[in-house]
Amino acid sequence: MTGTPGTPGTPGTEFDYVIVGGGTAGSVIASRLTENPDVTVAVIEGGPSDIDREDVLTLRKWLGLLGGDLDYEYTTTEQPRGNSHILHSRAKVLGGCSSHNTLISFKPLPSDWDEWEEAGAKGWNAQAMDPYFGKLRNNIVRVAKKDQNQIATDWVEAAKTALDVPEVVGFNDQPFDEGVGFFDLSYHPENNKRSSASVAYLHPHMEAGDRPNLHLFLETWAYRLELDGTTARGVHVRTKDGEEKLLSARREVLVCAGAVDTPRLLMHSGIGPKKDLEALGMECVLDLPGVGENLIDHPESVIVWETNGPIPDNSAMDSDAGLFVKRDPDHKGPDLMFHFYQIPFTDNPERLGYERPEHGVSMTPNIPKSRARGRLYLTSADPEVKPALDFKYFEDEGDYDGQTLVDGIKLARKVAEAEPFKKWLKREVFPGPEVTEDAEISELVRKAAHTVYHPAGTCRMGAANDELAVVSPDLTVRGLDGIRIADASVFPTMPAVNPMIGVLMVGEKCADLLTGSDVR
C-alpha cells in the first residue's frame, strides 16, 4: 500500500476504481475490492489517517471531536420552527463518521428495508439485506458489564416500570417495536477502542502492508468529477500542499462522500438541478433535479436533570442506553426514541439562558421517522464554499415532528418519577417543571432541538419513473456511466434506528454489485 501524495511510494494516477471518501461505506468497499490482488483501488480521503490517533480511536473521547480540526462543521440555514444554530458535524478523518460518532450499532429493522423497496429500491428488502449484517467485520457487542454504570442501570429499570416496555438484551437479536436497554456498540470493551469502518476494514492491511493494490490519498480533497460526455472517467483532487491532479478510473468512480459532500461534488461537476446550477453561472452537464433534495435527519431535543451528586464514572461513551416506544399501534416499528446521556447535555438550553448543572443527566426524545423533508443546495460556483443545508425542521404538515417531541418530554417525566431512577434526581433543569402546557413545551424543545448527526437521502435511490431519484437500485447514477454512489445519501427513507450499520451494509452490498458476489 502506498500513502499520501508527496511521500515516498506515492502511487500513479490511474486505477481500476477511484473511491471518493474513506469513510463508513468507502472503507468497506476499498477493503472488499482489493481482496482481488489484480484490482487497483485509490481512496481519496479529505482527512488524515486515524492510526495512532488516541483522540479518535478512544470511543469515550467522541465529544471532544465535535467542532475540532477533524470536523467539516456544516451549519444550517435559518430554521423558522426549529434551532438555527445546529452544527452538523461531519468527520474529516479516515473512517469518516464511524471515527467520530458513538458507534451505536443497530441493524436496520425489517420494516426499514421493506420501506426502501416500497419506495422503489427493488432488491433492498429485509430478506435480501439481512445477510449483509453477518458479513460485517466490526466488533459489534453489547455495552460491557463493566461499562454499565449504576444510574444507567437504574434508568433502564425505571423506564420498564413507568412505560411498561420490555428490557432488551441484544437489540440486534430480533426485530422490536418497543424496549429499553443498553446499546450494542462497535467497540472493544477491554480498552474502549473503536471498531470503526477504518479500524475493522483498513487497519489490518495498512499495518500488515499486504495490500499493495490499495492506495490511500489522505488529506486530499475531491472537488470535481472528470466526465467524458456522460461517462465518469476520474476525479480531480487537490492535496494539502495545493497540488492538483486527476485520478483516473479504468472501471468506475465510487462516490462515498456522505449525504453532504456527495451531492456537493455532483453539483460542482455539473450534475444536478439545471435551473439552480445555471443560476450560479455553472454549466449543467446532466439535469438531475433530485440531487440535494430529500434531505432527512433524526431530529431530537432534550430534557435535563440535575442529580443529587456525582454519578458513577464507568461508561463506554456516556450515552450507553436507549429507549424505544410505539405510540401509534398502526406504525411499523418504534415511533419515538430516547438516548440516555450520563452527562447534562445543555449546549442548546444554555443558549436559551439555562445553566448547566455541575452534575446531571439527560434524555433526548428523538423522531425515528421524521416527516420533514429539506434540501441541500449550492450558494456559489466556488467548490470551496460550503453548501446550504435547509432541513426544514418541524415544518412538516400536521406538526407530527413537533408533537413527537412533546410526547417525548411527557414520557421522560414519567420515567423520572419512577424508582430506582428518581432517587438520583434533584430537579428538572430543562425545560423546567413549570413548563407543562403542550404549546409551551413545544416551543422550548424545538428551540433547543438538536441533531444526532444522521443527514441522509440527498441522492436517493428509486425506481426509473421517480423523477427525483438520483441512483438506481444498482447504485448507478441515472443518466451516467462509470459511476455509483454508496453512502447515506442514497437512503430513500430514514431507518428508525441509528443508521451507521445501514451505511456499512450499503457498502457491503455495493461491493457485491461490483464483484458479482452473492451473500445468499
Side-chain angles (χ1 to χ4, degrees):
M1 181 188 304
T2 46
T4 308
T7 60
T10 296
T13 58
E14 187 173 84
F15 309 87
D16 291 315
Y17 296 96
V18 176
I19 299 175
V20 180
T24 307
S27 294
V28 174
I29 298 167
S31 183
R32 291 300 187 190
L33 290 178
T34 53
E35 289 173 358
N36 181 346
D38 296 327
V39 170
T40 59
V41 175
V43 178
I44 304 163
E45 169 52 48
S49 171
D50 58 333
I51 287 182
D52 296 328
R53 290 284 305 244
E54 290 303 304
D55 57 334
V56 174
L57 296 176
T58 304
L59 175 56
R60 203 173 178 190
K61 294 184 177 181
W62 69 275
L63 265 172
L65 298 173
L66 305 183
D69 63 336
L70 302 180
D71 188 350
Y72 282 109
E73 295 187 300
Y74 292 110
T75 55
T76 62
T77 61
E78 187 72 24
Q79 300 294 292
R81 297 200 76 242
N83 177 6
S84 305
H85 306 275
I86 296 174
L87 187 70
H88 275 267
S89 294
R90 300 283 85 198
K92 183 165 55 174
V93 63
L94 195 64
C97 290
S98 72
S99 290
H100 215 252
N101 63 16
T102 56
L103 290 176
I104 296 171
S105 298
F106 284 102
K107 178 168 67 171
L109 298 170
S111 52
D112 293 325
W113 293 123
D114 290 343
E115 188 176 69
W116 282 23
E117 183 150 275
E118 291 163 12
K122 188 176 181 181
W124 291 77
N125 59 69
Q127 184 178 358
M129 291 305 298
D130 192 64
Y132 288 103
F133 182 73
K135 287 193 73 174
L136 300 183
R137 293 180 180 170
N138 311 74
N139 192 53
I140 303 171
V141 294
R142 189 169 183 248
V143 169
K145 200 72 179 173
K146 70 179 180 64
D147 292 331
Q148 297 178 18
N149 76 35
Q150 194 58 53
I151 193 169
T153 302
D154 288 349
W155 175 81
V156 169
E157 287 298 315
K160 285 165 55 180
T161 304
L163 305 181
D164 192 28
V165 297
E167 181 173 359
V168 177
V169 180
F171 276 106
N172 290 315
D173 292 349
Q174 60 187 25
F176 59 89
D177 286 331
E178 296 191 308
V180 63
F182 285 93
F183 292 130
D184 283 9
L185 307 178
S186 294
Y187 85 129
H188 297 280
E190 65 276 9
N191 57 12
N192 195 241
K193 291 297 186 283
R194 291 180 178 273
S195 182
S196 62
S198 51
V199 169
Y201 283 86
L202 296 181
H203 285 201
H205 309 298
M206 295 170 72
E207 291 163 353
D210 62 358
R211 293 277 174 95
N213 53 336
L214 175 59
H215 306 275
L216 300 179
F217 288 79
L218 300 172
E219 298 182 278
T220 300
W221 186 50
Y223 62 92
R224 191 175 78 250
L225 298 169
E226 173 71 9
L227 300 174
D228 177 6
T230 57
T231 301
R233 298 294 187 191
V235 183
H236 292 270
V237 302
R238 185 178 300 125
T239 72
K240 66 175 180 178
D241 299 323
E243 180 189 1
E244 295 188 356
K245 61 173 65 177
L246 170 65
L247 302 183
S248 299
R250 285 184 287 264
R251 298 189 187 180
E252 289 194 31
V253 172
L254 306 167
V255 185
C256 308
V260 175
D261 281 301
T262 286
R264 176 188 190 178
L265 178 64
L266 262 59
M267 288 189 281
H268 279 295
S269 305
I271 303 161
K274 182 176 182 178
K275 59 178 175 48
D276 291 358
L277 297 180
E278 291 183 345
L280 293 172
M282 302 169 68
E283 179 188 1
C284 180
V285 177
L286 177 64
D287 184 11
L288 263 186
V291 174
E293 296 295 327
N294 192 46
L295 177 60
I296 50 180
D297 192 18
H298 276 150
E300 70 175 17
S301 195
V302 69
I303 177 169
V304 182
W305 296 276
E306 182 179 10
T307 54
N308 287 314
I311 62 175
D313 188 55
N314 60 308
S315 174
M317 50 78 181
D318 297 307
S319 178
D320 301 323
L323 164 68
F324 291 88
V325 297
K326 180 174 178 172
R327 298 164 299 159
D328 177 1
D330 295 326
H331 186 84
K332 292 180 179 178
D335 59 12
L336 179 56
M337 182 201 180
F338 301 83
H339 299 76
F340 176 64
Y341 280 89
Q342 295 115 241
I343 52 175
F345 192 45
T346 55
D347 294 17
N348 290 302
E350 284 179 56
R351 195 174 35 78
L352 300 176
Y354 290 79
E355 291 187 6
R356 177 186 177 95
E358 184 180 0
H359 305 292
V361 292
S362 317
M363 283 175 67
T364 53
N366 174 288
I367 309 164
K369 295 286 185 181
S370 168
R371 295 183 183 176
R373 293 293 182 271
R375 65 186 291 257
L376 176 153
Y377 56 94
L378 301 183
T379 61
S380 169
D382 181 354
E384 298 274 1
V385 176
K386 293 178 181 179
L389 277 63
D390 182 5
F391 285 87
K392 300 191 184 298
Y393 287 129
F394 310 109
E395 293 182 40
D396 56 298
E397 189 175 347
D399 196 30
Y400 171 88
D401 285 12
Q403 187 59 48
T404 299
L405 295 189
V406 172
D407 292 349
I409 295 297
K410 292 177 177 179
L411 292 177
R413 286 171 169 167
K414 285 186 178 182
V415 177
E417 285 299 315
E419 295 291 4
F421 181 49
K422 182 179 180 180
K423 70 176 184 288
W424 291 89
L425 305 181
K426 182 176 181 181
R427 66 185 178 97
E428 181 184 314
V429 175
F430 178 84
E434 72 285 354
V435 180
T436 57
E437 297 297 322
D438 281 15
E440 197 178 7
I441 294 171
S442 176
E443 183 177 3
L444 271 175
V445 296
R446 283 187 285 106
K447 284 181 178 177
H450 200 61
T451 176
V452 207
Y453 310 107
H454 297 164
T458 48
C459 293
R460 81 170 189 231
M461 183 171 16
N465 61 355
D466 182 350
E467 292 182 1
L468 292 180
V470 175
V471 299
S472 302
D474 61 359
L475 300 178
T476 55
V477 178
R478 288 170 44 170
L480 293 178
D481 295 316
I483 183 170
R484 297 181 207 235
I485 298 173
D487 55 31
S489 72
V490 305
F491 285 22
T493 61
M494 181 67 83
V497 294
N498 301 57
M500 182 190 72
I501 294 297
V503 177
L504 289 167
M505 292 169 71
V506 167
E508 288 281 9
K509 168 107 170 177
C510 181
D512 272 2
L513 289 168
L514 292 164
T515 61
S517 302
D518 190 338
V519 294
R520 291 163 290 180

